[in-house]
Amino acid sequence: MGASHVSSTTVPFNLTGHPALSMRFGTSSDGMPIGVQLAANPYAESTILHIALLLETLSPARDQHPAL
């Protein structure tokens, strides 16, 4: 996957100033991570971080860590 594809998911938020984050929320049946991307109104950083915290507590992947 090229860098231009990855940028297409972040550039709109960078240009508009909307806070956004991406986090792991689960794992597919073949072991691949499943993520969720959150975005909020401008200057709503505390809201998006609060929602991310709530999702993290509900995430089935919360206690899954890669073997080192």
Side-chain angles (χ1 to χ4, degrees):
M1 189 175 302
S4 62
H5 175 73
V6 174
S7 295
S8 70
T9 62
T10 60
V11 168
F13 301 108
N14 294 339
L15 292 176
T16 62
H18 288 76
L21 66 80
S22 178
M23 60 183 282
R24 183 177 178 193
F25 189 72
T27 307
S28 69
S29 60
D30 59 349
M32 297 299 292
I34 298 172
V36 62
Q37 184 173 5
L38 306 172
N41 292 327
Y43 308 109
E45 287 85 356
S46 61
T47 301
I48 200 166
L49 291 172
H50 180 71
I51 293 169
L53 176 65
L54 293 174
L55 284 175
E56 186 178 43
T57 62
L58 298 172
S59 172
R62 179 179 182 184
D63 296 320
Q64 294 179 356
H65 305 285
L68 299 178

